[in-house]
């Protein structure tokens, strides 16, 4: 039997013994101690779970649960001091009642956070202030008519208990909705355990409060200690390494998950607005302050969301441009590749360009002479270094913005000159050839003793018909073949 289950069952046995002893005598002190021990045990387990949890968002969730249990334990310790220590069973203490109201603050933060998304610290600060304001507004609506340390009047008691039930039910439904939108196993365990815990707590608190109101003599401290049953499933399910709670829902759709995540940050503002509008009747100043806080927080959150959206959009655009540069750039030489050539052609043929298309086109194919013998004799590292220097020299000859040089494959390069006619082509091609020859890179297998290139060019004019880029490249390649056949280190063209 797992240790978590043994601890839970052991606590249940102690609870049963306490109930049995309540029949024979006074068990007021043991009952109070049991009710205090249960949340303290759950607090220790949830802190342990938060420490060992690897998923940051789930670790944050268990920390919120532990904080809530800590506040509730303080309230129960105050009850022990006030009711058993001082014997004030009939007079509620306002500060202790407030602690039992403030236990909801960490749970409201858990429900309101967008979970996996990072948010600015100002947004978290607003959430803390709003969660505190929601709990205080709920406390004021519930106990505002109660004089300090005095019993409530009978007519208002039913309404007060109804508000307590409404708060607990609100938290329980919120946990169940988040459970239905949970994706990871750790997240589903967290919200599943909290749904069960808050659900049992809501039921136990409602039974205890309403039975105490109707038949106070029948509800003994031992029977009131049954509220501890709400904390024991949390101990069992939060125990590190314990078996995950099976979910009654299938994995959520992306649409439902995003819907819940999007609505969650607005939860606090909407709840605070509704409570503040009702609070205006009891205390006009605090009610108006709550309305202004809810409206201001909602506006600020909306502004933050827009700023984050724009920052993310800009970041995505930069990443896309960066990836495009990587995809369109030859890794060895640093000049564009053939994919970039396709993008350039598509851009030049866009509708706004078609109104004033280039009248002439010139394509040049450039091939490094005797490159295979160079690799064989000097090694591939030297050959790669030569290709990089040749590429930079060829790029340096491009003078106009639309001129493009790409590595076409192996030791071949393609140069595209929009708006360059057949009269300009020989000079441009000679500029390419002489730029590489001027590098004077040693080449033992070359007749000239240095690295040279052969250039074949082909031009197209609008008078000759519609442009066919594939045909133009084929003609330039044929001209390059002729240049190599005629002895290399030369320029040959086809108009």
């Amino acid at each position: 039997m797992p240790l978590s289950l043994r601890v839970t069952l052991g606590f249940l046995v102690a609870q049963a013994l306490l109930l049995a002893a309540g029949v024979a005598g006074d068990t007021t002190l043991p009952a109070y101690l049991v009710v205090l021990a249960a949340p303290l045990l759950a607090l220790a387990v949830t802190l342990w779970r938060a420490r060992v949890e690897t998923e940051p968002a789930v670790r944050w969730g268990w920390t919120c649960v532990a904080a809530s249990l800590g506040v509730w334990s303080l309230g129960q310790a105050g009850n022990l001091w006030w009711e058993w220590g001082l014997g004030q069973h009939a007079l509620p203490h306002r500060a202790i009642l407030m602690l039992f109201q403030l236990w909801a603050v960490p749970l409201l933060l858990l429900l309101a956070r967008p979970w996996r998304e990072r948010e600015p610290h100002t947004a978290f600060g607003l959430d803390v202030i709003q969660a505190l304001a929601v709990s205080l507004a709920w406390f004021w609506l519930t106990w505002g008519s109660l004089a300090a340390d005095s019993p409530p009047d009978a007519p208002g008691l039913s309404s007060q208990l109804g508000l307590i039930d409404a708060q607990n039910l609100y938290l329980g439904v919120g946990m169940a909705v988040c459970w239905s939108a949970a994706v990871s196993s750790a997240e589903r365990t967290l919200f599943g355990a909290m749904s069960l815990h808050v659900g049992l707590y809501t039921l136990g608190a409602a039974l205890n409060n309403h039975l105490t109101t109707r038949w106070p003599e029948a509800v003994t401290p031992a029977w009131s200690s049954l509220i501890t049953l709400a904390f024991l499933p949390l101990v069992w399910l939060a125990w590190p390494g314990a078996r995950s709670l099976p979910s009654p829902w299938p994995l959520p759709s992306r649409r439902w998950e995003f819907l819940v995540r999007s609505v969650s940050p607005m939860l606090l503002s909407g709840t605070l607005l509704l409570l503040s509008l009702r609070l205006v009747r009891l205390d006009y100043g605090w009610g108006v302050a709550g309305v202004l806080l809810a409206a201001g927080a909602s506006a600020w959150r909306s502004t933050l969301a827009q700023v984050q959206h724009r920052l993310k959009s800009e970041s995505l655009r930069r990443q896309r441009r960066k990836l495009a540069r990587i995809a369109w750039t030859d890794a060895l030489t640093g000049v564009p590749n053939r994919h970039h050539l396709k993008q350039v052609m598509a851009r030049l043929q866009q509708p706004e360009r078609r109104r004033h298309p280039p009248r002439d086109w010139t394509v040049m194919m450039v091939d490094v002479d005797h490159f295979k013998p160079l690799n064989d004799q000097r090694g591939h590292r030297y050959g790669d270094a030569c290709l990089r220097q040749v590429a930079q020299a060829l790029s340096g000859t491009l003078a106009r913005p639309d001129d493009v040089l790409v590595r076409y494959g192996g030791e071949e390069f393609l140069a595209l000159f929009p708006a360059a006619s057949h009269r300009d082509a020989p000079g441009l091609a000679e500029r390419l050839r002489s730029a590489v020859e001027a590098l004077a890179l040693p080449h033992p297998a070359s007749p000239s003793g240095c690295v040279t290139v052969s250039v074949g060019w082909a031009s197209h004019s609008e008078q000759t018909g519609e442009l066919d880029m594939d045909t133009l490249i084929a003609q330039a390649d044929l001209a390059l073949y002729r240049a190599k056949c005629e002895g290399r280190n030369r320029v040959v063209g086809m108009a």
Side-chain angles (χ1 to χ4, degrees):
M1 182 184 296
L3 179 59
S4 60
L5 188 56
R6 290 203 300 268
V7 171
T8 304
L9 292 178
F11 208 101
L12 286 174
V13 171
Q15 187 84 30
L17 293 175
L18 179 66
L19 289 175
V23 178
D26 183 21
T27 56
T28 302
L29 179 59
Y32 276 110
L33 293 177
V34 166
V35 176
L36 180 59
L40 288 177
L41 177 60
L43 170 62
V45 173
T46 50
L47 283 175
W48 182 18
R49 180 62 179 262
R51 185 174 181 178
V52 302
E53 185 61 55
T54 58
E55 195 172 327
V58 180
R59 186 187 309 125
W60 152 261
W62 285 117
T63 304
C64 287
V65 174
S68 173
L69 293 170
V71 176
W72 201 94
S73 299
L74 286 176
Q76 181 57 28
N79 259 350
L80 176 62
W81 163 76
W82 179 253
E83 296 184 11
W84 183 82
L86 301 181
Q88 300 293 335
H89 297 283
L91 298 177
H93 194 284
R94 179 173 287 191
I96 297 174
L97 293 175
M98 184 177 291
L99 283 174
F100 282 114
Q101 206 77 37
L102 293 179
W103 81 287
V105 172
L107 301 185
L108 289 170
L109 288 175
L110 175 59
L111 294 177
R113 299 297 287 163
W115 206 236
R116 296 186 183 89
E117 297 182 12
R118 293 180 176 269
E119 283 197 321
H121 295 300
T122 53
F124 177 68
L126 277 176
D127 285 347
V128 172
I129 294 173
Q130 288 189 99
L132 186 60
V134 166
S135 293
L136 291 177
W138 223 309
F139 172 79
W140 189 249
L141 288 172
T142 307
W143 304 107
S145 60
L146 178 65
D149 306 335
S150 64
D153 58 332
L157 186 57
S158 177
S159 174
Q160 290 163 341
L161 295 182
L163 285 170
I164 295 175
D165 295 339
Q167 181 189 28
N168 295 335
L169 187 61
Y170 172 89
L171 293 173
V173 171
M175 294 297 174
V177 171
C178 289
W179 187 15
S180 69
V183 176
S184 69
S185 175
E187 186 181 350
R188 290 165 77 87
T189 298
L190 167 64
F191 283 111
M194 286 306 299
S195 298
L196 184 59
H197 163 62
V198 178
L200 291 175
Y201 179 81
T202 301
L203 180 61
L207 288 174
N208 183 73
N209 292 337
H210 290 281
L211 289 178
T212 303
T213 303
R214 292 178 179 272
W215 301 288
E217 68 284 349
V219 182
T220 63
W223 283 104
S224 295
S225 68
L226 286 175
I227 193 67
T228 58
L229 297 178
F231 298 95
L232 297 183
L234 191 58
V235 173
W236 175 37
L237 296 171
W239 200 284
R243 188 173 182 179
S244 300
L245 179 69
S247 174
W249 296 287
L251 284 176
S253 64
R254 299 293 288 176
R255 176 172 297 184
W256 175 246
E257 179 193 359
F258 289 150
L259 176 63
V260 173
R261 302 305 182 209
S262 301
V263 171
S264 294
M266 299 184 290
L267 181 70
L268 282 177
S269 298
T271 305
L272 179 58
L273 181 61
L274 294 176
L275 292 176
S276 299
L277 289 174
R278 184 169 179 179
L279 185 60
V280 167
R281 302 175 183 176
L282 295 178
D283 192 310
Y284 182 80
W286 285 112
V288 171
V291 170
L292 294 177
L293 175 60
S298 179
W300 180 246
R301 263 200 167 280
S302 177
T303 302
L304 288 177
Q306 293 182 19
V307 170
Q308 280 190 307
H309 177 71
R310 292 184 179 181
L311 289 175
K312 287 181 180 180
S313 298
E314 181 60 29
S315 176
L316 288 174
R317 281 195 292 270
R318 287 197 299 267
Q319 291 178 8
R320 282 196 295 266
R321 287 195 293 266
K322 184 178 180 180
L323 290 174
R325 285 194 297 270
I326 294 174
W328 297 343
T329 302
D330 179 63
L332 175 63
T333 61
V335 300
N337 55 24
R338 294 175 69 168
H339 298 294
H340 179 72
L341 178 64
K342 295 178 182 179
Q343 296 295 324
V344 170
M345 293 302 305
R347 187 178 70 248
L348 291 174
Q349 294 177 359
Q350 287 176 353
E352 58 270 17
R353 292 275 189 150
R354 290 177 186 173
R355 299 171 188 171
H356 305 286
R359 297 169 59 88
D360 302 292
W361 296 78
T362 295
V363 172
M364 298 185 184
M365 296 293 296
V366 183
D367 184 77
V368 179
D369 297 328
H370 307 290
F371 187 71
K372 187 178 184 303
L374 176 66
N375 269 338
D376 293 341
Q377 296 186 22
R378 299 295 298 269
H380 288 280
R381 293 186 62 182
Y382 181 78
D384 291 345
C386 286
L387 282 179
R388 283 191 289 269
Q389 295 183 65
V390 167
Q392 295 306 313
L394 295 175
S395 296
T397 65
L398 306 182
R400 292 173 293 187
D402 288 339
D403 295 348
V404 180
L405 176 77
V406 302
R407 186 183 180 191
Y408 203 69
E411 66 273 18
E412 284 189 337
F413 297 87
L414 182 147
L416 174 65
F417 297 93
S421 67
H422 66 280
R423 291 183 295 272
D424 305 321
L428 294 173
E430 180 59 28
R431 190 191 305 172
L432 294 174
R433 188 203 65 79
S434 59
V436 175
E437 189 176 40
L439 294 174
L441 299 174
H443 190 334
S446 173
S448 62
C450 64
V451 174
T452 60
V453 295
S454 300
V455 183
W457 60 267
S459 295
H460 170 83
S461 178
E462 65 176 3
Q463 286 83 9
T464 60
E466 188 175 353
L467 172 67
D468 185 348
M469 185 56 65
D470 292 335
T471 301
L472 194 61
I473 293 176
Q475 291 175 349
D477 196 49
L478 180 60
L480 173 64
Y481 177 74
R482 288 174 51 191
K484 293 165 71 174
C485 290
E486 292 177 9
R488 293 186 171 82
N489 192 22
R490 66 190 63 237
V491 171
V492 172
M494 297 181 62

